[in-house]
Amino acid sequence: FKKVMLVLAEYYKKDTDYVENRIDWINELRNDEKSLSLKEHQKTLMESFDILNTILNFNDIDYFHSSGFLCYLLTNNFLERYHHDIDLYVNVDDFQKIINVFNSDLFKVIHTCEKSSNGSNRHGYKIETSLNNIPIWLSFYKRLHNGTIYIQEYFQEENGNYFTMENYNSSICCDLSLIKTEYNGVKFTSLSLEALYLSKNGIRKKDIYDCKIMHKFVNLNKLDLLRNEIDNSWQKINGIPLVIENAITSEYKEVENNGLKFTKKRI
């Protein structure tokens, strides 16, 4: 075991404490991924990323990515950990496109419903594929012509009434937060390094690790500007977008008619 540790330490150019901590850390983040090695998992993830971006671009869908593995792509680093899903933000105006494109032989758009602490139900969607076990979790936003964006989350009260929680992002905030780049020759829109860094400023082990990867690459001036521009408040709006309500109603009918169950809450 000591010989193996020394070999790994030489590979990482670190001491054996670093190697031992990294082994423990990867095992902890591996969670339920038992079938694939770290290298195999990362290859599968990036193949899914390429396929997803190709489909989104071809169908002219307005989106941006916010996944943790972007920390590595945007800094030209190799992936170092397991990433169990892909986080994708989609313009709610393009949600019908998502339904049309991803309800196919290879993909399926799935309605999720989870109980909130206040007793209301939060409605969401994810895309699953028969190609692998990596889900694509959808979040939504409304884009205005002046360049501002409202991040949206959709809820239903116990009495059945719908409401939307909105987070305002100014045009300046959006300019600082979103970038267009490419991977493997495929273009995609992503959160900037600075926006990713601020979003991961928490206590989760994987976020702390990712921030260490990004730290020397972030633009500190841009980071300060973005930190001052971000509005962390959320506003409650009565009702939800019609395209979301119609999709939920359709799912309710399917559950009622076929005895199906909604997907459990997101992990």
Side-chain angles (χ1 to χ4, degrees):
F1 178 75
K2 289 181 178 179
K3 288 181 179 179
V4 171
M5 294 289 284
L6 288 173
V7 171
L8 290 171
E10 175 63 24
Y11 174 81
Y12 287 117
K13 304 299 181 185
K14 303 281 186 178
D15 58 31
T16 54
D17 285 342
Y18 169 86
V19 174
E20 188 169 2
N21 288 337
R22 177 164 169 75
I23 292 171
D24 291 341
W25 178 82
I26 287 177
N27 283 332
E28 181 176 333
L29 290 184
R30 185 167 184 165
N31 290 340
D32 297 326
E33 182 57 84
K34 304 297 182 184
S35 59
L36 297 179
S37 68
L38 180 59
K39 187 174 182 179
E40 291 170 329
H41 166 80
Q42 291 169 347
K43 182 175 182 293
T44 300
L45 175 70
M46 298 321 297
E47 287 173 349
S48 295
F49 186 64
D50 280 344
I51 293 171
L52 175 61
N53 289 330
T54 300
I55 294 173
L56 293 169
N57 295 340
F58 181 79
N59 289 279
D60 195 28
I61 293 171
D62 184 16
Y63 72 92
F64 64 85
H65 286 282
S66 63
S67 298
F69 59 82
L70 294 169
C71 304
Y72 303 85
L73 298 191
L74 298 181
T75 58
N76 294 317
N77 278 298
F78 293 108
L79 273 64
E80 294 190 23
R81 66 174 180 87
Y82 285 91
H83 300 266
H84 297 96
D85 54 20
I86 295 176
D87 294 312
L88 179 69
Y89 279 81
V90 176
N91 188 330
V92 68
D93 290 340
D94 286 343
F95 183 49
Q96 190 58 53
K97 287 185 184 179
I98 292 287
I99 294 174
N100 295 341
V101 170
F102 287 97
N103 276 327
S104 64
D105 293 336
L106 293 179
F107 297 93
K108 184 172 178 59
V109 181
I110 297 175
H111 174 205
T112 66
C113 184
E114 61 178 296
K115 204 76 168 178
S116 299
S117 57
N118 61 6
S120 62
N121 288 320
R122 178 180 176 184
H123 293 282
Y125 284 88
K126 68 176 179 175
I127 300 170
E128 290 188 346
T129 175
S130 58
L131 298 173
N132 53 59
N133 64 348
I134 299 174
I136 302 162
W137 286 95
L138 300 179
S139 297
F140 297 95
Y141 59 88
K142 176 177 66 178
R143 185 189 294 274
L144 302 186
H145 293 299
N146 62 3
T148 62
I149 280 178
Y150 286 86
I151 303 297
Q152 295 186 329
E153 296 179 357
Y154 309 118
F155 297 86
Q156 187 174 21
E157 296 174 324
E158 292 178 299
N159 61 10
N161 291 335
Y162 291 109
F163 67 92
T164 300
M165 296 301 296
E166 286 190 341
N167 171 245
Y168 171 74
N169 293 262
S170 69
S171 58
I172 296 175
C173 182
C174 294
D175 287 342
L176 292 168
S177 296
L178 299 177
I179 60 170
K180 292 184 181 296
T181 184
E182 66 177 56
Y183 173 78
N184 238 9
V186 180
K187 295 180 180 180
F188 67 94
T189 305
S190 163
L191 287 182
S192 64
L193 271 181
E194 291 73 24
L196 282 167
Y197 190 83
L198 290 180
S199 72
K200 286 181 164 290
N201 191 15
I203 60 174
R204 298 186 304 178
K205 280 191 175 183
K206 61 182 182 180
D207 290 338
I208 294 172
Y209 192 90
D210 290 345
C211 281
K212 287 182 179 179
I213 297 295
M214 292 185 286
H215 183 71
K216 65 180 180 180
F217 294 95
V218 296
N219 183 314
L220 296 181
N221 290 332
K222 188 175 177 180
L223 189 67
D224 287 338
L225 288 172
L226 182 57
R227 187 181 284 114
N228 292 330
E229 192 66 27
I230 285 178
D231 182 356
N232 292 314
S233 63
W234 290 75
Q235 187 174 16
K236 182 178 179 179
I237 308 294
N238 290 330
I240 61 176
L242 184 59
V243 65
I244 299 292
E245 184 174 353
N246 288 342
I248 292 173
T249 301
S250 175
E251 289 291 332
Y252 275 150
K253 289 179 179 177
E254 185 177 351
V255 168
E256 185 177 344
N257 292 337
N258 300 314
L260 302 175
K261 292 183 178 180
F262 284 130
T263 302
K264 292 182 179 179
K265 65 181 293 187
R266 177 175 180 173
I267 298 175

